[in-house]
Amino acid sequence: MSFRCALLLSATMVLSALAALAQKKEIKQVPAPYTPPTSGKEMYVAYCASCHGKEGKGDGPAASALKAPATDLTTLAKQNNGKFPILHVSAVISGEHMTTVHGSREMPVWGNVFLAMHGHDSRWVQMRVSNLTHYIESLQVK
Ligand code: HEC
């Protein structure tokens, strides 16, 4: 196994998508599966829905095991005078903007996961973050 390959594997194992054992109220970490960088929807379902819910309402199966509530992503525009906060959302996803409610961040740093997925080529990371952001924009309630 090459060095890069080993690095990639360990990074995706550590910073992985999370799935919950809802009954036991504990979060099981699973390696982030590969998804097409062009599909915001497929990425959302694979990486975000476990906490934020299938429709973005913050009611995913892992949500009840979190200390901080997984934000309802459908009201981001509504809460920002009707304007979708595009820069804020992409910064939160990539990890440039650390949202912390009570000191420790539960929202995973996806920028690092995506970097590892693409052998540290940041152009793919930008594409993933941008397509995810546009997908979340499409979930906004009026
Ligand atoms: C392990 C559960 C979990 C997963 C998986 C997760 N999030 Fe989050 N997310 C949170 C929590 C909890 C918060 C609330 C802030 C905090 O505690 O960090 C949050 C906050 C956010 C915010 C900030 C909203 C605001 O008002 O500032 C955005 C945007 C977001 N998540 C998008 C995503 C996207 C996109 C994905 C998938 C790529 C994702 N999240 C995956 C738990 C998660």
Side-chain angles (χ1 to χ4, degrees):
M1 196 189 281
S2 72
F3 174 69
R4 169 168 285 181
C5 188
L7 194 75
L8 196 148
L9 200 74
S10 60
T12 42
M13 296 292 283
V14 176
L15 296 155
S16 59
L18 301 155
L21 299 168
Q23 319 85 312
K24 285 190 171 171
K25 297 253 195 267
E26 81 189 28
I27 293 179
K28 193 177 110 212
Q29 299 223 2
V30 296
Y34 185 84
T35 54
T38 46
S39 173
K41 182 170 187 179
E42 280 187 56
M43 287 189 279
Y44 182 83
V45 170
Y47 309 138
C48 321
S50 55
C51 291
H52 291 284
K54 266 207 188 89
E55 275 134 40
K57 296 193 187 302
D59 55 355
S64 61
L66 297 170
K67 285 177 227 94
T71 312
D72 179 346
L73 299 178
T74 68
T75 56
L76 295 175
K78 201 175 175 182
Q79 286 170 6
N80 191 46
N81 299 320
K83 197 175 171 290
F84 182 69
I86 191 158
L87 291 176
H88 169 77
V89 170
S90 38
V92 169
I93 299 172
S94 65
E96 286 155 52
H97 183 129
M98 302 297 253
T99 50
T100 39
V101 177
H102 297 291
S104 82
R105 180 184 150 120
E106 289 191 294
M107 167 72 188
V109 179
W110 292 98
N112 294 343
V113 179
F114 298 154
L115 261 182
M117 222 174 245
H118 291 286
H120 292 262
D121 185 338
S122 62
R123 286 168 302 179
W124 291 105
V125 179
Q126 280 160 23
M127 185 193 282
R128 283 187 182 274
V129 171
S130 157
N131 287 331
L132 266 168
T133 303
H134 284 116
Y135 182 68
I136 292 171
E137 186 171 13
S138 78
L139 301 176
Q140 300 309 297
V141 294
K142 291 274 143 49

